[in-house]
Amino acid sequence: MSRGRHQRRRHNADRWAGTMLTDLHSRPAGPGDIISQTLASNRLGVPSVVFFGVAGAAPLTVIIGAISTIYAVVGNTALPLVYVVVAAILSIFTVGFVAMSRHIVNSGAFYSYISHGLGRELGIAGALVALAAYSMMQAGLFGLFGVVSSNVLAAVGLNASWVACALVAWAIVAVLGMLWVDLSGKVLGVLLIAEIAVVLIYDLVMVANPAEGSVSVATLNPSQLMTPEVVAMMVLAIGGFTGFEATVVLSEEAKDPKKTITRATHLAVLLAGLMCALSAWAMSVGAGTTRIVADARREETDLVFTLVSPHVPDIMITMGYLLFMTSIFAALLAFHAAVSRYQFALGRERILPSRWGYTHPRTGAPVVGSITQSVLSLGVILGYSAAGADPLVQLFGYLTSVGGLGVLILMWATSAAVIAFFLRHPHRENVWRSKVAPIVAFFLLSVILFATVVGLGDILGLADDSIFNWAFSAGYAVLAVLGALWAAIVRYSRPDVYAAIGRGVDNRLVPDYLEPPMPHSHAMALQSHYPTSTN
């Protein structure tokens, strides 16, 4: 019988990992202890974190590009309400998401939460999905920035290729990524405030000049939500919010992270949702509810400018185009920060090589992660240019859509992780935050994720027999399996590293269980790796 109990302990890795992590954290950190490396703390207040979250969602880019595209592609006028519904779903998800952030402060965000809630193997699986998703989101945006900025320069008589414009943006983002995070927050703040101001002016102009002679609220009729196209519209609309969740990635650099991240994340979702819903409704008023779909198909991304140009000075149109360009740049900077911090979190815990876990001694920026993302995105820009690929469709359209799928997978998995985490810690939050909201969010995100996976080929405009209808979703599944296998290997080859997965910078273990004795085999391995002090 004693052998049976020993065997059961031996194969319960989470239990002995807790004991091991507690032991590791009780030892003084030496100069080479990568876990002691930290990001610059106490840098960001609520406004700066909100700027990162909303900038990632790129509201002006969504309003100019995504809203007119959804009207044109789906042909349904329920879009303003769809944005409200999506914002409500993501707000419900955010309840459990930020509740967990109050107990786990880690720049690994999704990765850390999944490892705490669903286990270390699935945590590493989530980490690989996050790295791929956010890297594709950022790299894809360079295609849109290049095309938009090239067109803006052409309008004033300057000729520049999309590649040249993308490389200028790449260089600026690469430099800012190595500097103080609050500097990037200030840059984003200036750009975002100007962006929101122009959006509100455009909305007021469209509402003040209704195409049908009076302001119509027909697109706000709730009965439209019963139409079969609504799920497809939700799938497309949710991409306009991608980036808000990156607020939690900045938790280690925030002032009073438990309060700052909670407030900032809720504000980022509400602000993005209200702006998109208001603008979608204003566009339907400016064009007319019976003409909005046809106008969107004809004008495409110029729809907003076509609607407001007869009523505002030319300078306002020029500012709109310039801020469209800076909106994309702000999203580039926000996603760069997210990717580099995910890499930092994995390097600090030695899942990636330890160099990724170091920060710049003066700026506190994750140096190697920032450089790595810059090199990857440079390779994508140059590769697409050499291949002669379409920067709008094949770079921006494909990569950001597939990246958005990855973020949706992470939100879905994190909802499950929140449920599991608070089942083990039932008294840390109230019932709404720990059970009701996460369960509702998991169900709703399951529906949207299923619809996204099934309809991804249609979103990308692929032929029915194209291999890419299922290849992108399968690619994420392969990454997840590889991550889980890697964690399983680490579990037996480097048990000290396995114990630290997702546990973050503050050396604080969230106790998941009563700690039993450590398995004999792993205790011997740890003792040989860390000899007991004679003091």
Side-chain angles (χ1 to χ4, degrees):
M1 288 182 64
S2 62
R3 178 173 178 173
R5 288 194 298 270
H6 175 81
Q7 288 298 105
R8 285 195 293 273
R9 288 196 204 109
R10 176 172 184 149
H11 293 291
N12 193 335
D14 279 342
R15 292 183 180 273
W16 63 256
T19 301
M20 181 178 294
L21 189 60
T22 302
D23 183 74
L24 289 173
H25 287 173
S26 68
R27 301 176 185 278
D33 187 355
I34 196 66
I35 301 296
S36 68
Q37 301 302 309
T38 61
L39 295 162
S41 61
N42 204 36
R43 289 277 191 181
L44 303 174
V46 173
S48 292
V49 178
V50 171
F51 292 150
F52 273 98
V54 179
L60 186 57
T61 302
V62 172
I63 289 162
I64 292 175
I67 291 178
S68 57
T69 299
I70 297 172
Y71 271 131
V73 171
V74 181
N76 190 302
T77 58
L79 188 55
L81 283 177
V82 167
Y83 273 111
V84 172
V85 171
V86 170
I89 292 172
L90 294 181
S91 294
I92 294 172
F93 163 77
T94 300
V95 170
F97 185 52
V98 298
M100 203 160 179
S101 76
R102 286 192 285 270
H103 304 282
I104 303 168
V105 177
N106 191 325
S107 62
F110 285 137
Y111 147 68
S112 179
Y113 298 169
I114 293 171
S115 69
H116 275 278
L118 302 179
R120 291 166 171 84
E121 283 80 5
L122 290 181
I124 299 301
L128 294 190
V129 171
L131 287 177
Y134 284 113
S135 293
M136 284 191 285
M137 292 289 291
Q138 204 235 5
L141 283 168
F142 279 111
L144 179 62
F145 181 89
V147 171
V148 171
S149 54
S150 177
N151 291 339
V152 169
L153 292 175
V156 297
L158 298 175
N159 292 323
S161 67
W162 77 267
V163 178
C165 296
L167 289 176
V168 171
W170 171 86
I172 298 172
V173 170
V175 171
L176 288 174
M178 299 285 288
L179 300 179
W180 296 269
V181 68
D182 47 328
L183 175 61
S184 294
K186 291 172 183 175
V187 171
L188 292 176
V190 172
L191 297 178
L192 195 61
I193 289 171
E195 184 180 333
I196 292 173
V198 167
V199 168
L200 292 177
I201 291 172
Y202 283 3
D203 289 346
L204 287 173
V205 169
M206 289 185 286
V207 172
N209 297 276
E212 298 173 346
S214 62
V215 175
S216 172
V217 294
T219 54
L220 302 180
N221 187 342
S223 64
Q224 294 185 105
L225 294 176
M226 299 297 106
T227 56
E229 297 92 352
V230 165
V231 173
M233 296 175 77
M234 290 173 63
V235 168
L236 293 170
I238 202 168
F241 292 82
T242 302
F244 83 90
E245 73 290 339
T247 54
V248 181
V249 177
L250 303 169
S251 58
E252 293 180 27
E253 296 155 283
K255 301 173 183 177
D256 191 4
K258 294 183 180 181
K259 294 182 179 178
T260 297
I261 299 302
T262 298
R263 295 169 182 170
T265 308
H266 281 299
L267 283 173
V269 174
L270 293 175
L271 186 57
L274 287 174
M275 289 181 64
C276 291
L278 176 61
S279 295
W281 172 69
M283 289 166 67
S284 71
V285 173
T289 54
T290 59
R291 292 170 44 197
I292 180 64
V293 172
D295 285 357
R297 289 171 177 169
R298 182 181 66 253
E299 300 293 340
E300 297 179 336
T301 56
D302 287 327
L303 177 61
V304 172
F305 299 116
T306 301
L307 293 175
V308 302
S309 59
H311 312 291
V312 299
D314 290 343
I315 186 64
M316 287 300 300
I317 302 301
T318 302
M319 285 181 60
Y321 277 111
L322 289 174
L323 287 170
F324 184 22
M325 183 173 66
T326 60
S327 170
I328 305 165
F329 176 82
L332 284 168
L333 188 57
F335 282 118
H336 181 93
V339 177
S340 61
R341 279 153 181 79
Y342 266 105
Q343 293 184 23
F344 165 79
L346 293 170
R348 181 177 58 196
E349 294 167 8
R350 290 178 288 169
I351 298 302
L352 288 178
S354 60
R355 288 183 179 274
W356 267 259
Y358 286 102
T359 56
H360 192 282
R362 291 183 59 193
T363 67
V367 178
V368 180
S370 183
I371 292 173
T372 300
Q373 179 58 23
S374 294
V375 171
L376 288 173
S377 56
L378 177 62
V380 171
I381 294 169
L382 297 179
Y384 271 77
S385 174
D390 185 334
L392 274 181
V393 176
Q394 295 169 309
L395 179 51
F396 169 66
Y398 283 15
L399 292 193
T400 56
S401 296
V402 176
L405 171 62
V407 175
L408 185 57
I409 292 171
L410 290 169
M411 288 194 288
W412 171 76
T414 300
S415 292
V418 171
I419 296 169
F421 179 82
F422 285 116
L423 282 175
R424 289 199 297 270
H425 307 286
H427 304 299
R428 290 177 178 262
E429 298 285 347
N430 62 34
V431 173
W432 165 247
R433 294 182 189 135
S434 63
K435 293 183 176 63
V436 177
I439 291 172
V440 172
F442 179 75
F443 171 75
L444 294 174
L445 288 173
S446 296
V447 173
I448 295 176
L449 178 59
F450 176 78
T452 303
V453 171
V454 171
L456 185 61
D458 293 331
I459 294 172
L460 298 177
L462 301 173
D464 291 340
D465 58 350
S466 173
I467 189 176
F468 294 107
N469 281 300
W470 55 267
F472 294 121
S473 301
Y476 280 125
V478 170
L479 281 176
V481 170
L482 290 176
L485 289 175
W486 177 242
I489 292 170
V490 170
R491 170 179 167 179
Y492 290 102
S493 63
R494 293 186 293 165
D496 55 316
V497 173
Y498 179 87
I501 288 175
R503 269 54 191 172
V505 62
D506 57 2
N507 292 346
R508 177 172 54 85
L509 174 67
V510 178
D512 294 344
Y513 29 69
L514 294 174
E515 307 292 359
M518 192 185 313
H520 177 71
S521 58
H522 291 294
M524 295 294 291
L526 181 60
Q527 186 174 6
S528 64
H529 193 75
Y530 293 100
T532 305
S533 173
T534 57
N535 292 334

